[in-house]
Amino acid sequence: MTLHENEIPVDEPLIRALLAAQRPEWAGLPLSAAGAGTDNTMYRLGEDLLVRLPRTVDGGRSVRKEQEWLPRLAPLLPCEIPDPVHRGTPAAGFPAVWSVHRWIDGDEAGPKTVRDWTAFGNALAGIVDRLHRVDLMGATREDGLDWYRGGPLGACDRWVGRCLDDCRELVGGELDVGTLERLWRDAVALPESVGPQVWLHGDLKPTNLLVRDGALHAVIDFGALSIGLPDAEHATVWDLPPDARSAYWNALDLDEPTWTRARAWAIAVGASGISYYRHTFPAFVAECRARLDAILTDAAAR
């Protein structure tokens, strides 16, 4: 599945060649596909390891962030997070940095894996609260830790407008794009958040939340790790059932302006996902559609 024009082709022989050159003790271990997202491809290596390769050379920036910061953040968080055990370097056939992480057992959060969605929402809120309270350790956005989701909404207004126009053309008969645009405009019109900048995971959607024994156990995929304003961190709660969303909101005691801006970020990511991946990643487009549907249902009930 190719998602980007400048994507680096990856297959099992390439990964084995990388391992043979850089970690020969692992080169003969069993290797199997373990999923792929919009930015990375993953392979399980043996029982205990995960090979994580960026889809593009530019994606190496996110890999470096994980390699540098996850070991420092891990002792400070109340859940398991990825543990990089090898910093892969560019090589013939793969001109980007890559990683090997320790494998984390667990299932994606969903109706078949989560036992109690209220407890799940509370647990996720606790992780977010702890992450946002972690000292920045001298890091700033200028240290390669900037990302649009930690900045001001207004800076994204033009491209979000284009993505909403695309949605109107592509799915306008099935989604109330006019209401989504109004909700976006309502948030842009608010004063920008003036809270302190914090550590942000950046993409706390269900596929990045692992469940064990019915409860939230681990948070994975810190490729969007950044420092910035916290509003966008809350956007992915519209990917969760209402019980989890309400528990999360109440646990963090979020005010209406923060909720309105978080919802706008959810609209931005959902609309851009439909626009960009409409021909290449139908499963992700379906996720974006479901998120926007949840936003509309939630807005109608408030």
Side-chain angles (χ1 to χ4, degrees), residues 109-126:
K112 295 182 179 179
T113 60
V114 175
R115 182 172 54 241
D116 181 336
W117 281 110
T118 297
F120 185 93
N122 282 321
L124 181 59

Side-chain angles (χ1 to χ4, degrees), residues 122-134:
N122 282 321
L124 181 59
I127 292 169
V128 169
D129 183 61
R130 184 76 64 85
L131 176 62
H132 290 187
R133 293 177 185 274
V134 170

Side-chain angles (χ1 to χ4, degrees), residues 184-201:
W184 168 261
R185 299 287 172 212
D186 288 347
V188 171
L190 289 173
E192 285 293 350
S193 175
V194 295
Q197 294 190 347
V198 297
W199 285 108
L200 303 172
H201 175 278

Side-chain angles (χ1 to χ4, degrees), residues 13-69:
L14 172 65
I15 297 171
R16 291 204 179 279
L18 291 172
L19 292 169
Q22 299 184 29
R23 294 302 297 256
E25 71 274 27
W26 295 338
L29 293 175
L31 190 66
S32 59
T38 57
D39 297 317
N40 298 278
T41 302
M42 281 74 67
Y43 281 76
R44 188 168 186 175
L45 179 62
E47 290 295 317
D48 302 319
L49 300 170
L50 177 78
V51 183
R52 183 166 163 83
L53 307 105
R55 287 183 175 273
T56 65
V57 172
D58 290 344
R61 176 181 181 232
S62 295
V63 172
R64 290 190 187 92
K65 285 191 297 184
E66 291 183 326
Q67 292 171 346
E68 179 177 359
W69 289 105

Side-chain angles (χ1 to χ4, degrees), residues 157-170:
D157 192 30
R158 182 173 298 179
W159 66 259
V160 171
R162 289 196 298 267
C163 292
L164 287 167
D165 288 341
D166 286 345
C167 288
R168 188 174 283 107
E169 178 182 343
L170 295 166

Side-chain angles (χ1 to χ4, degrees), residues 30-269:
L31 190 66
S32 59
T38 57
D39 297 317
N40 298 278
T41 302
M42 281 74 67
Y43 281 76
R44 188 168 186 175
L45 179 62
E47 290 295 317
D48 302 319
L49 300 170
L50 177 78
V51 183
R52 183 166 163 83
L53 307 105
R55 287 183 175 273
T56 65
V57 172
D58 290 344
R61 176 181 181 232
S62 295
V63 172
R64 290 190 187 92
K65 285 191 297 184
E66 291 183 326
Q67 292 171 346
E68 179 177 359
W69 289 105
L70 292 186
R72 305 189 203 187
L73 292 172
L76 307 174
L77 296 178
C79 65
E80 193 168 353
I81 67 173
D83 177 15
V85 295
H86 174 67
R87 298 187 177 198
T89 57
F94 197 81
V97 297
W98 52 283
S99 288
V100 179
H101 293 177
R102 295 203 184 280
W103 178 263
I104 302 176
D105 276 325
D107 299 304
E108 292 178 5
K112 295 182 179 179
T113 60
V114 175
R115 182 172 54 241
D116 181 336
W117 281 110
T118 297
F120 185 93
N122 282 321
L124 181 59
I127 292 169
V128 169
D129 183 61
R130 184 76 64 85
L131 176 62
H132 290 187
R133 293 177 185 274
V134 170
D135 184 80
L136 297 183
M137 296 177 266
T140 68
R141 284 174 65 83
E142 288 68 35
D143 297 322
L145 291 163
D146 60 308
W147 201 37
Y148 75 96
R149 294 186 200 176
L153 277 172
C156 304
D157 192 30
R158 182 173 298 179
W159 66 259
V160 171
R162 289 196 298 267
C163 292
L164 287 167
D165 288 341
D166 286 345
C167 288
R168 188 174 283 107
E169 178 182 343
L170 295 166
V171 294
E174 303 159 27
L175 279 177
D176 183 356
V177 180
T179 294
L180 293 171
E181 186 168 22
R182 176 180 60 78
L183 296 173
W184 168 261
R185 299 287 172 212
D186 288 347
V188 171
L190 289 173
E192 285 293 350
S193 175
V194 295
Q197 294 190 347
V198 297
W199 285 108
L200 303 172
H201 175 278
D203 197 17
L204 290 169
K205 60 183 183 176
T207 52
N208 292 332
L209 306 174
L210 297 187
V211 173
R212 187 183 294 175
D213 297 326
L216 181 57
H217 167 69
V219 174
I220 60 173
D221 190 353
F222 280 73
L225 182 70
S226 59
I227 290 172
L229 301 171
D231 301 336
E233 189 83 289
H234 312 307
T236 51
V237 295
W238 278 273
D239 295 340
L240 303 175
D243 287 351
R245 189 158 58 245
S246 296
Y248 180 96
W249 183 2
N250 292 331
L252 290 177
D253 194 23
L254 300 177
D255 58 30
E256 283 290 344
T258 298
W259 200 245
T260 299
R261 287 189 289 262
R263 183 176 61 193
W265 282 116
I267 292 169
V269 177

